[in-house]
Amino acid sequence: MPTALLLPCDPLNPRRADPHFAREAAAARELGCAVAYLDHDAAVRGDVSEAVARVPRGLGDVRYRGWMVTSEAYAALDAALRSRGARPLTSPAAYQSAHELPGWYEHFRDHTPASRMIPLPPGGLPRELPAAARLAAEAAALPPGAGIVKDWVKSRKHEWHTACFVPDLTDTANLASVVGAFLDGQGEFLVGGVVLRAFEQFTGPEARVWWVDGEPVLVTPHPDAPDTPADALPDVLDTPAVRAAVRALGASFVTTDLARRADGVRRIVEVGDGQVSDLPSSADPAGLLRPLLVGGPGA
């Protein structure tokens, strides 16, 4: 029996899909799969009963495709869905391990820029800046040169020079300034803490590889450049080391963003949970949903 697809509803009409995911809703129905909707806004504010109120009871195996939620919100949604007879095929632990950098980094350490993590306690705003000595020590553990600042999930690359990029990691004053700007910008949306990540110069476009049960099922451009022609993407499928890392991660629906470094080496730019990874507008949704929903349940 095909797996059902769970999508965020249109905030203006909860009986239909959020417009961003309307193509996926149509493709799933064409594949003979049930489509159900959850209220993402309700999930974000912690009202999980309201979030799943329109999910039919007894839906069975289900895959979510939608907007990001925190790991805590995903765990609450998982429990609420199971109480209605829906069984998400990505567990809360698998979601967190693929969605947050501390969960996937060790598996991909040899294939991605070196990173150091500084957990920050949850609490009020504004958040306290990590001590300069801690920032300097973590930066010193990275290769010399430039770095970037992000949290467990997101950077502020749209504020590249003020809240993301650090030209020289040994410049502790500037590093502290960038970290402070990043924390101010993230505010209540900060996930986990601060990541200091070595900067690597990439050339050419990124390719997003979609993995289901440890197998690559689709290669697309990165959503930031959806019209990148297929022949311009780096050759990414003959990567047994990446395949092994994906399988070791133990999450059944994963994305990896790959690019070529300036020296020609293929590198993992980011790993993500496939449920909340954006599908570029140029991609045919059926190319993803057929193996995801019809190809059999995941681990």
Side-chain angles (χ1 to χ4, degrees):
M1 182 176 179
T3 299
L5 181 65
L6 184 62
L7 298 170
C9 68
D10 184 339
L12 301 179
N13 184 347
R15 296 181 180 275
R16 68 186 182 192
D18 183 299
H20 190 80
F21 299 97
R23 295 191 311 133
E24 295 187 40
R29 291 193 176 97
E30 290 179 5
L31 292 169
C33 301
V35 178
Y37 304 124
L38 63 78
D39 186 331
H40 178 265
D41 291 342
V44 169
R45 66 175 181 263
D47 189 350
V48 291
S49 295
E50 177 64 22
V52 304
R54 292 185 178 273
V55 177
R57 293 188 179 274
L59 191 60
D61 291 344
V62 63
R63 292 282 194 184
Y64 174 59
R65 283 281 302 142
W67 305 116
M68 290 184 183
V69 294
T70 65
S71 297
E72 294 78 11
Y74 185 86
L77 282 171
D78 179 86
L81 288 166
R82 291 181 184 279
S83 73
R84 298 178 69 86
R87 295 182 295 275
L89 293 179
T90 295
S91 70
Y95 177 78
Q96 185 170 20
S97 67
H99 184 55
E100 298 182 3
L101 187 144
W104 59 260
Y105 177 72
E106 289 301 323
H107 299 288
F108 293 87
R109 175 189 286 272
D110 294 337
H111 314 291
T112 197
S115 303
R116 302 293 294 180
M117 288 151 265
I118 305 174
L120 295 178
L125 300 175
R127 293 182 182 273
E128 184 176 350
L129 185 71
R134 175 70 185 277
L135 290 174
E138 299 296 347
L142 295 174
I148 66 166
V149 174
K150 66 188 298 290
D151 67 12
W152 282 192
V153 175
K154 286 284 190 180
S155 70
R156 298 188 68 81
K157 60 184 178 182
H158 57 288
E159 298 173 351
W160 182 254
H161 293 291
T162 57
C164 185
F165 182 64
V166 182
D168 180 1
L169 286 168
T170 65
D171 184 347
T172 304
N174 186 50
L175 173 60
S177 175
V178 173
V179 171
F182 172 77
L183 291 175
D184 288 344
Q186 288 298 89
E188 63 181 307
F189 300 106
L190 181 83
V191 177
V194 170
V195 177
L196 304 183
R197 198 151 160 80
F199 175 75
E200 295 185 1
Q201 185 69 54
F202 299 118
T203 61
E206 290 182 32
R208 175 160 288 182
V209 185
W210 301 76
W211 303 79
V212 177
D213 296 332
E215 295 294 330
V217 300
L218 183 67
V219 179
T220 67
H222 191 277
D224 289 348
D227 297 323
T228 303
D231 59 4
L233 297 175
D235 182 15
V236 297
L237 292 184
D238 59 336
T239 51
V242 175
R243 183 191 300 261
V246 169
R247 291 180 172 177
L249 181 61
S252 66
F253 185 25
V254 178
T255 55
T256 53
D257 294 343
L258 291 98
R260 284 197 179 276
R261 200 166 58 191
D263 59 3
V265 175
R266 282 173 296 194
R267 300 288 277 167
I268 297 287
V269 181
E270 200 71 54
V271 175
D273 179 85
Q275 299 177 108
V276 296
S277 296
D278 199 16
L279 186 69
S281 57
S282 57
D284 178 4
L288 173 64
L289 297 182
R290 185 176 291 108
L292 183 67
L293 302 178
V294 183

